[in-house]
C-alpha cells in the first residue's frame, strides 16, 4: 500500500473560533482528523507530521521553508507523496520557495488549505484535503502523475510557482493566469498531462540555504528620487522591481542612473510586471530598453511570489551577481516562459 505524508503547518483549515474572543486560532491535527472520518477509507496509508508550532501562514518565514524542505528530504524515500496543510495567505510563497529548493523532484508535493475551518458546516476543507491526497497518491505506470510542487484548491491543481492568492473571500482563492492548470477535479480527476513537468533526473537535490536580503521596488507615477534611493541603497543583495505593463519604467535620467549605480555595486535587480497576465519584454518600448542596457534582469512572466523566492534561493547558492542574473532569467522549475 502506498504511503502519503501529511505535513501540518497551520492555516484556517485547522482553526477554531475562540469561544470568548471569537478570533480564529489554530488547533492540533487530531482535532482535524476527528472531522474527516473519510481519511480511514483511503486506499493509502497516511502518516502525519505536525509542526510544533501551528501557525497562521502570515507568520511563515524562510527558516520554516528550510525545515519543510528538510522534512521532505528525510521522508522522501519512505513515502509516495506529500500533502502540506498550510494557510492560504502565503501558500504561493511557500510553494514557490519549495519548488526552487527541491531540484529533480520526482514525487508530488501538494499544498492545500481552506477558506473555512474544517469544522465549519459549509467548509471547503474536506474536498481540498481529500483530493490533494488523491493527487499526491496518483500514479501511472508506477510513476507519480504530478512530480511537482503544486497547490490544490477549489477543484483546481496549480503549479505552485505560477500561482498567487487573489481572493480572500471566495473558495476560488488562487489563480495562475500565465500557466494552465495541471488538473481539474469534478466527476473525474483530469490531469493535463502535457502541462505537467517531469524531472530530468531521478535524484533529489535539496537546497536549504535561502538569503532573505531582498527588497521590493514597486513603481508608481511620481515616485521620488529619495524613495528610490532609500530602497536601492538599502543593505540587500537583490531587488525585485515591479514595473508597468511589459516591464516599463520612467526614462528619467536620475532613475536610470540610480539603478545603474546599484547594479555596478553588485546588486541584482529583477524586472517583473505589475500586470498579473502577460510578460516583461525588455526593449519592446523605449521605456524598457535602457533597463536591458544597464543589466536589469528580465523576469518574463514570473509571479511576484516566484520572483522573491527565486531571488532568495539564488542568492543563497551563488555569490556572483552576473550568475544570479543569468539564472533569474533561466527557466529553472517551470516558473517562467521565455518569450
Ligand atoms: N490567515 C489564514 C492563513 O493564511 C488564511 C487561510 O488559511 O486561508 O493562515
Amino acid at each position: 500500500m502506498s504511503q502519503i505524508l501529511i505535513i501540518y503547518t497551520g492555516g484556517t483549515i485547522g482553526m477554531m473560533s475562540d469561544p470568548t474572543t471569537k478570533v480564529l486560532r489554530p488547533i492540533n491535527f487530531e482535532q482535524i482528523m476527528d472531522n474527516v472520518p473519510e481519511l480511514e477509507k483511503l486506499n493509502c496509508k497516511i502518516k502525519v507530521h505536525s509542526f510544533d508550532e501551528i501557525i497562521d501562514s502570515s507568520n511563515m518565514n524562510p527558516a520554516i521553508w528550510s525545515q519543510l524542505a528538510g522534512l521532505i528530504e528525510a521522508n522522501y524515500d519512505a513515502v509516495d507523496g506529500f500533502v502540506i496543510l498550510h494557510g492560504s495567505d502565503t501558500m504561493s510563497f511557500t510553494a514557490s520557495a519549495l519548488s526552487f529548493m527541491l531540484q529533480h523532484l520526482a514525487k508530488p508535493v501538494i499544498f492545500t488549505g481552506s477558506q473555512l475551518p474544517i469544522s465549519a458546516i459549509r467548509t471547503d476543507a474536506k474536498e481540498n484535503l481529500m483530493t490533494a491526497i488523491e493527487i499526491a497518491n496518483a500514479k501511472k505506470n508506477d510513476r507519480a502523475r504530478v512530480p511537482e510542487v503544486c497547490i490544490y484548491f477549489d477543484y483546481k491543481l496549480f503549479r505552485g510557482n505560477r500561482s498567487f492568492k487573489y481572493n480572500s473571500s471566495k473558495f476560488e482563492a488562487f489563480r495562475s493566469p500565465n500557466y494552465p492548470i495541471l488538473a481539474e477535479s469534478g466527476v473525474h480527476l483530469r490531469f493535463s498531462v502535457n502541462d505537467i513537468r517531469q524531472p530530468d533526473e531521478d535524484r533529489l537535490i535539496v537546497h536549504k540555504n535561502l538569503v532573505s536580503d531582498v527588497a521590493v521596488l514597486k513603481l508608481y507615477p511620481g515616485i521620488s528620487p529619495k524613495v528610490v534611493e532609500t530602497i536601492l541603497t538599502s543593505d540587500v543583495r537583490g531587488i525585485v522591481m515591479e514595473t508597468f505593463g511589459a516591464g516599463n519604467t520612467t526614462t528619467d535620467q536620475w532613475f536610470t542612473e540610480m539603478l545603474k549605480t546599484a547594479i555596478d555595486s553588485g546588486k541584482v535587480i529583477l524586472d517583473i510586471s505589475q500586470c498579473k497576465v502577460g510578460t516583461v519584454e525588455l526593449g519592446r518600448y523605449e521605456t524598457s530598453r535602457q533597463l536591458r542596457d544597464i543589466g536589469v534582469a528580465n523576469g518574463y512572466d514570473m509571479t511576484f511570489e516566484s520572483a522573491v523566492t527565486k531571488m532568495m534561493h539564488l542568492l543563497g547558492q551563488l555569490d556572483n551577481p552576473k550568475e544570479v542574473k543569468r539564472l533569474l532569467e533561466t527557466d529553472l522549475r517551470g516558473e517562467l516562459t521565455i518569450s
Side-chain angles (χ1 to χ4, degrees), residues 10-13 15 55-58 86-90 113-115 153 165:
T12 301
I13 190 164
M15 290 192 188
I55 56 166
D56 184 297
S57 77
S58 297
H86 192 291
S88 63
D89 289 351
T90 63
S114 62
Q115 294 282 55
F153 221 94
K165 183 171 180 182

Side-chain angles (χ1 to χ4, degrees), residues 178-228:
N178 283 332
Y179 198 79
I181 54 169
L182 304 184
E184 189 155 20
S185 126
V187 173
H188 302 284
L189 180 55
R190 297 219 186 276
F191 293 93
S192 307
V193 178
N194 296 333
D195 298 316
I196 296 173
R197 267 169 79 84
Q198 296 299 328
D200 36 12
E201 278 180 51
D202 229 352
R203 182 180 53 97
L204 180 74
I205 301 177
V206 182
H207 306 277
K208 291 192 203 121
N209 201 29
L210 297 164
V211 166
S212 51
D213 293 343
V214 176
V216 177
L217 173 57
K218 183 163 185 158
L219 300 186
Y220 49 91
I223 193 166
S224 71
K226 208 163 111 194
V227 168
V228 174

Side-chain angles (χ1 to χ4, degrees), residues 70-266:
L71 252 175
I72 291 170
E73 184 176 32
N75 289 280
Y76 194 71
D77 293 331
V79 304
D80 298 81
F82 300 85
V83 170
I84 304 183
L85 302 183
H86 192 291
S88 63
D89 289 351
T90 63
M91 193 184 284
S92 291
F93 286 93
T94 305
S96 300
L98 265 288
S99 77
F100 298 116
M101 297 166 90
L102 304 172
Q103 190 177 5
H104 307 311
L105 181 69
K107 296 189 178 182
V109 174
I110 314 297
F111 279 81
T112 196
S114 62
Q115 294 282 55
L116 282 178
I118 204 151
S119 55
I121 305 226
R122 288 192 308 104
T123 189
D124 51 332
K126 288 187 193 177
E127 202 289 319
N128 286 350
L129 173 60
M130 299 308 287
T131 307
I133 296 172
E134 195 174 334
I135 293 168
N137 194 27
K139 290 203 177 132
K140 195 170 183 189
N141 301 330
D142 226 25
R143 292 189 73 85
R145 295 209 68 156
V146 194
E148 291 208 36
V149 179
C150 301
I151 288 182
Y152 179 75
F153 221 94
D154 196 45
Y155 302 99
K156 292 191 179 77
L157 183 71
F158 304 93
R159 175 171 296 159
N161 60 30
R162 292 289 195 155
S163 70
F164 57 86
K165 183 171 180 182
Y166 91 105
N167 198 317
S168 61
S169 57
K170 284 194 173 176
F171 288 149
E172 190 201 352
F174 290 89
R175 278 202 176 160
S176 160
N178 283 332
Y179 198 79
I181 54 169
L182 304 184
E184 189 155 20
S185 126
V187 173
H188 302 284
L189 180 55
R190 297 219 186 276
F191 293 93
S192 307
V193 178
N194 296 333
D195 298 316
I196 296 173
R197 267 169 79 84
Q198 296 299 328
D200 36 12
E201 278 180 51
D202 229 352
R203 182 180 53 97
L204 180 74
I205 301 177
V206 182
H207 306 277
K208 291 192 203 121
N209 201 29
L210 297 164
V211 166
S212 51
D213 293 343
V214 176
V216 177
L217 173 57
K218 183 163 185 158
L219 300 186
Y220 49 91
I223 193 166
S224 71
K226 208 163 111 194
V227 168
V228 174
E229 190 179 20
T230 305
I231 295 168
L232 292 178
T233 58
S234 62
D235 189 18
V236 295
R237 289 172 55 202
I239 294 138
V240 174
M241 180 167 70
E242 283 199 286
T243 58
F244 307 122
N248 308 321
T249 66
T250 170
T251 48
D252 280 354
Q253 203 182 339
W254 64 265
F255 181 76
T256 313
E257 273 167 12
M258 278 185 194
L259 292 185
K260 186 168 181 326
T261 307
I263 293 169
D264 292 347
S265 75

